Structure formats: structure tokens, C-alpha cells
Amino acid sequence: MPSPAGRRSSSRGCGSGEAAVRVLWVAFACAPGRGSEPGLGYRLAREVARCVRSLVVLTASHNRGAIEEGAALPANVTVEYVPAPNLRGEFGHRVSYLVWLARALARARELHASEPFDLVHHVTYAMSWIPPLPGRLGVPFIWNAGNILATPMSFLSARHLRGSLAELTRNLVVAMGWRISRRLVRPDAVTLGHPSRDLGCRPFFLPALEADTEVEDLSPSRGRSRSAGLRVVSVSRLLYLKGIHLALEAFGQVAGPDWEYLVVGAGPEEVRLRRLAERLGVGNRVRFLGWLPRADVLDLLARCDVFCLPSLHDSFSWAVLEAMAAGLPVVCLDRGGPGLVVDGRVGVKVAARGPRQVVADLARALRALADDAPRRRAMGEAARQLVLERHTWDVRAREIVSLYEDVLRAWGRAGDDPEGAGGLPAEESPVGRPEDSHE
């Protein structure tokens, strides 16, 4: 196997030097101004490029216009555009993505033959059930698989038939696809947006804030100074998996006459959620705002008291981070990305044993925060500080390069690192080969 070209810095990030490695990114979604995941790919490329010798990004051809019109990427970034079929519908889109991955592998092989890569990182899409084919290039491979959490069966019921059937189907597809993908590609490291004690995977909260957002862009919440009531906010697509129905039921149990629940977003569950609010007798205190311009969302966060998103299996949640950066305490389930980033200092995490228990615990959390303004204030301040310390773009880039160094050491490919980090046997490395740790 080729070794990294030149000498790598022994730095554990990019503050005092760069890792002299040539990295290939697989980032189907990578473009500014096109939503969370494309923006993530684009912003992270800009940040990580400061930490490596060379970065080549494989992305879909339909991103070309946005990338060429966006902020300039660093000089050591090369973007390779790979076409994807334009198939319609949800199933068609997944087939298009699989075809794109095959084409991306072919292009990666051409590039690798011309100038070898030291490492491949699959960054976006985060789909654990579709094999990341460019990982078969024959060099160290890191796969951001996103999420393998199954929706607990206790949350599936005939009352919510459409959403429950969708979640049951997802459970089966993810379980089968995850196993097939790992056997087909055999990554050196897998990052997930949630803790995984028994799968040999590293929990890794990939997003920082939205691609064009800094913490300083979000004003600390002013809503907490209100003397009465509670203003709760959720920002989310209105899907069954997001758990807005659970938040609504909890709100209905404890809301006082001067409470308000603002729901930002749209989706197939909206009609059912509106009916639920009316049935619970809080229709006049729940406002469905649809999708708002980004500046309006940021302003709205600053005028609320609590952010609530009891999602059943989110990999990552930019909305949670932005609410924390705005100084809001977060109420969520102890699952997925939100459960990974929220702790008792910045919010309330609720166990997910069953719908009735979740609704009762959410209601208890909202009531407690409504009754204790100093606690809300302290949580909000701690939430903003946590984002500043652990979830900025610079921090995330350093963590990614640290992971690259771990994987390269596990391969015994640390070059001529003068401090002796190179050549560490795989069994002593924090990142093991998948055959040792995944099964």
C-alpha cells in the first residue's frame, strides 16, 4: 500500500500543522445553500481542507452550479462531479444514489491509479443500509453511516397506521442493509450519530451548526424574561419519526392558558397533528408556522423558552444545536443524535420505553422548566457554552483529522512521525479492523 506522501504533523488536529495526506471524500450531498446535509458537506470540506495536504471531493453533478457560485473552496480542494440518474420518487432516488455510488467507485479508481489516496471518507449521505461502494478502493476507509437505531415496537400502533408502517419497513431495511453493507465494504472505522456499545462503532456527532451559521449569529434567548407562561418551539419536518405527536400530547397535559407551542416545519403528518391539537383542547395555543425563512427561524428561537424535539431516531439534529446556541434548554428523547449531545446541564433527556411513559415524562419536564425560570436560564447558558466549546466547525474539523490519524496508525501508515506514533499495531489502536470489532 502507498504511504502518505511526505511527513505528517504529529498535531492532533489542524491548529499547529496539517496531516500531509491525500484524502478522498465521498459526498453525494455537497453544496452551499441547499439544505442541511449538502451544506454540511460543503462547509466541512472547507474546514478539513485546512488540515490535510490534499482533498478530493466526489459529489453529484447537480451540485456543480451551487458549488461554483458559492464561497471559494481552498486551493488544495479538487471537486470531481459524478452524474446520477434522475429517477423520480423516494424509491427512484435511492436507486439513483446506488448507481451514483457505483460510478463514484469507478471514478475513484481512475483517480487513485493516477495519484494514490491515503484514505477514503464517506461523509454524505449518511445511509447505513446502502453499501458505500467507494470504500472498496483498497485504502483505509471511514464510513459515516449515520443511524442504525430501530424504532421501538412499542411506538408502532394502528392509531398511527401510516407512520407505523413506514417505521416498521425502515426497521427491516436498515437491519438487513446494515449487515450487508458492512460485509461488502468492511470499513476501518464507522461513525454513528448515537452511542453503540456492542458494534465496535465510534459515536460521532458529525454536524456543527448549519453550514452558513456561527454561534455569534444566534442571539441568546430573550423569551425567558417573560413573567408568565411558557413558549415551546419545535423545528422539524412533520414526520412520524420526529415525535411531534408525543410533544403535542405532553403539551396538552400541562399547558396553562398563557402557554404557547410553535411548530416550524411541514410534512405529511401536519393534518393529523392539527387534528390532535384540537382534540386535546389546545388548538388555540398551538401554531403551525410551516417553513420559515432562515433569518425568521433564528429570530423565533430568540423569543422562545424551551426547544422540544422527541425524535425517535434522528442521526443528527442541526435544529437541536441551533436551539442550544440560541440559549434554549432542550427537551428530547435519550436516543440518536439529540441524546448524544444533550446532557443534564443543558436540557432534559427522556427514556423511550413506550408512548405513555414518554408523554408523561415530557409533560413533567415541561412543567418543571415552566416553574423554574432560574433553572431554564442556567440550562440555556450552559447549552450555548457547550456549543461554543464542542460544536464549532473548527472543533469538528480537528476531530475528523484526529480520526484520520487513528485509522492511519491502525494501518501502520503513520510515515516518519518523529514522535513514534507510526506503526502502532491495529490491536493497540483506538480504531480496530472491522472483523475484530463489528461482529
Side-chain angles (χ1 to χ4, degrees):
M1 294 292 177
S3 62
R7 174 174 160 181
R8 290 194 306 117
S9 164
S10 61
S11 165
R12 295 295 295 171
C14 33
S16 61
E18 69 173 25
V21 292
R22 176 171 159 83
V23 179
L24 176 67
W25 268 25
V26 183
F28 179 85
C30 181
R34 289 191 173 178
S36 296
E37 194 162 13
L40 166 75
Y42 190 75
R43 179 64 185 266
L44 274 181
R46 288 168 50 193
E47 299 295 331
V48 172
R50 297 186 295 107
C51 311
V52 298
R53 176 176 66 87
S54 159
L55 179 64
V56 177
V57 180
L58 293 177
T59 191
S61 296
H62 58 246
N63 294 322
R64 181 189 291 269
I67 290 176
E68 292 179 349
E69 294 172 6
L73 291 167
N76 64 334
V77 177
T78 301
V79 181
E80 293 282 340
Y81 297 99
V82 177
N86 185 21
L87 303 179
R88 296 181 180 275
E90 188 74 14
F91 179 76
H93 181 69
R94 302 303 185 227
V95 172
S96 296
Y97 177 54
L98 188 56
V99 171
W100 182 86
L101 286 171
R103 292 175 177 176
L105 173 58
R107 181 58 180 148
R109 284 172 171 162
E110 294 172 356
L111 295 168
H112 186 58
S114 174
E115 184 179 357
F117 294 104
D118 299 303
L119 180 143
V120 177
H121 186 183
H122 184 285
V123 183
T124 65
Y125 277 175
M127 293 185 185
S128 61
W129 48 277
I130 294 182
L133 299 178
R136 295 179 63 84
L137 195 61
V139 299
F141 175 55
I142 299 170
W143 178 25
N144 174 33
N147 191 331
I148 59 172
L149 287 176
T151 300
M153 294 299 293
S154 59
F155 288 86
L156 308 181
S157 72
R159 286 181 56 203
H160 311 297
L161 185 59
R162 181 172 65 177
S164 294
L165 287 175
E167 291 304 299
L168 180 60
T169 301
R170 176 195 172 275
N171 285 356
L172 296 173
V173 170
V174 168
M176 292 186 295
W178 164 249
R179 182 171 291 273
I180 292 170
S181 294
R182 286 192 302 152
R183 290 189 177 278
L184 182 63
V185 178
R186 304 188 74 79
D188 295 274
V190 179
T191 60
L192 296 171
H194 56 83
S196 177
R197 296 174 182 162
D198 58 344
L199 293 171
C201 303
R202 175 178 295 200
F204 194 89
F205 197 76
L206 190 62
L209 295 174
E210 282 274 9
D212 57 351
T213 303
E214 306 294 344
V215 178
E216 293 75 13
D217 296 334
L218 291 106
S219 302
S221 171
R222 303 185 299 273
R224 294 168 299 184
S225 63
R226 299 187 310 130
S227 59
L230 191 76
R231 179 178 288 159
V232 182
V233 62
S234 297
V235 181
S236 171
R237 289 182 66 196
L238 302 186
L239 303 172
Y240 182 78
L241 71 92
K242 298 295 184 178
I244 302 299
H245 59 290
L246 301 171
L248 266 177
E249 292 189 28
F251 183 85
Q253 286 187 10
V254 295
D258 50 359
W259 286 35
E260 189 175 22
Y261 185 15
L262 307 180
V263 181
V264 179
E269 290 288 296
E270 181 172 350
V271 171
R272 191 176 71 82
L273 292 172
R274 286 179 178 273
R275 290 173 179 167
L276 176 61
E278 294 295 335
R279 189 167 68 249
L280 293 170
V282 292
N284 62 334
R285 282 168 281 172
V286 179
R287 294 170 55 196
F288 291 89
L289 303 177
W291 289 119
L292 298 176
R294 181 157 178 71
D296 292 350
V297 174
L298 300 184
D299 180 68
L300 183 68
L301 290 176
R303 293 184 285 110
C304 292
D305 301 296
V306 175
F307 184 87
C308 184
L309 187 64
S311 178
L312 295 171
H313 56 72
D314 263 342
S315 302
F316 314 112
S317 179
W318 284 266
V320 167
L321 280 182
E322 290 191 344
M324 290 170 59
L328 291 178
V330 173
V331 177
C332 65
L333 299 190
D334 191 9
R335 290 179 61 79
L340 185 61
V341 72
V342 173
D343 60 31
R345 297 171 299 159
V346 304
V348 180
K349 292 192 295 189
V350 169
R353 295 186 292 272
R356 290 185 180 180
Q357 165 264 320
V358 164
V359 169
D361 287 351
L362 290 175
R364 191 175 299 112
L366 293 176
R367 180 76 267 173
L369 290 172
D371 291 343
D372 193 343
R375 183 186 179 203
R376 289 204 312 270
R377 186 178 305 111
M379 281 186 166
E381 291 170 355
R384 186 174 173 88
Q385 188 61 34
L386 182 64
V387 174
L388 282 167
E389 293 174 357
R390 298 180 55 185
H391 297 291
T392 63
W393 289 105
D394 178 66
V395 169
R396 196 62 72 242
R398 291 168 183 264
E399 290 176 346
I400 289 172
V401 172
S402 175
L403 179 58
Y404 292 174
E405 293 174 345
D406 289 345
V407 169
L408 289 171
R409 277 201 304 274
W411 269 63
R413 298 179 58 195
D416 57 354
D417 189 323
E419 296 189 11
L424 189 66
E427 62 270 18
E428 297 180 22
S429 169
V431 180
R433 296 289 292 168
E435 55 264 42
D436 299 326
S437 57
H438 285 177
E439 298 296 345

